[in-house]
Amino acid sequence: MTRSMKTKLVFGMIALALAGAADAKKKKAPPPPPPPPPPPVVVVIPPRPLPPLNASKLLTIAPVGPDGARRTINYAITPAQTVWNFRSAYNVAALDCLRPEHAEILTGYKKFLKTNAKALAATNRAVDREYKARFGLKFIRPREAYMTQVYNFYAMPPTVPQFCDAVLTMSRQSLTVLPKDVASFSAAQLPLLDNVFEQFFRAYDQWHTDAALWDARYAPTPTAPALPPAFATPAATVTLTAPGAAVTAAPAAATAPPATVVTLPALVPAAQPTPAPTASSTMGPKLPGT
């Protein structure tokens, strides 16, 4: 093989190598761009549930007993007490329902009292006898305390509008009630008035449940504050000894510093005050006749 041929062969190989490298560069694809960051997670926190009818969060409501009946002031009362509580509810409405649309309540209440005055007086005496049988001669105070609860029950602020609407319907029916029907009318109407409060109590119970679920899901969990780090080096021990007493050092731990001994100076007794001379020492012996 001639020299020219060898030269051409070398250049050809170099050209093939360069071409292969160029093709390799062309075939090698650039790395893909990094994936975009995930979109931010937006958590929409609903407002915490509020008590129904703008009631207080600290309101105490009557509980429900094992029989499913709520233990209100009207639970398991006598027929005479039923009539008197109905009259009390009517009285509260006449005082509190002052909107123009409720004006008929006061008119109906006055007519109800006038038409059924004797029947209501007899009911009042019957309630007195019941309390006297339970509490003896001091029955007036427990009866007044109970009636205060009755009036407060029907004057509950969150339920006033609904209560007034219910009493308005009842007051129109009370215009035709005869004295002999006062007991039956009261027994039929009192549960209808109490239904206003039962609905509110159920809504209040449901609010407690909803608020507890909201707290469990969205309320932050309180964490205990971090405690400061403990000191690794124990404090030095100071031993006080009386003057002249022997000092005996207790064996200390390997890591504890040696105890510091402080010797107190000798105590000098305080000078006692010179007692004042007594009368016998200054005046001499007592002479006869002095």
Side-chain angles (χ1 to χ4, degrees), residues 94-148:
L95 295 174
D96 288 353
C97 303
L98 303 179
R99 292 183 178 180
E101 60 267 27
H102 298 139
E104 296 178 50
I105 294 177
L106 181 58
T107 302
Y109 178 64
K110 291 180 179 179
K111 187 176 187 306
F112 179 78
L113 293 181
K114 183 177 180 180
T115 303
N116 305 289
K118 292 182 178 180
L120 294 175
T123 299
N124 187 34
R125 292 191 296 269
V127 173
D128 274 348
R129 289 193 297 270
E130 294 175 353
Y131 271 84
K132 191 173 182 179
R134 293 174 56 192
F135 300 100
L137 297 178
K138 298 181 179 180
F139 70 93
I140 295 179
R141 178 172 294 183
R143 181 184 177 182
E144 289 180 348
Y146 170 76
M147 292 310 302
T148 299

Side-chain angles (χ1 to χ4, degrees), residues 63-91:
V64 177
D67 57 353
R70 196 173 294 275
R71 299 303 196 258
T72 67
I73 44 92
N74 289 325
Y75 176 77
I77 56 177
T78 64
Q81 192 70 62
T82 299
V83 175
W84 204 249
N85 286 8
F86 170 77
R87 186 208 66 85
S88 302
Y90 209 164
N91 187 11

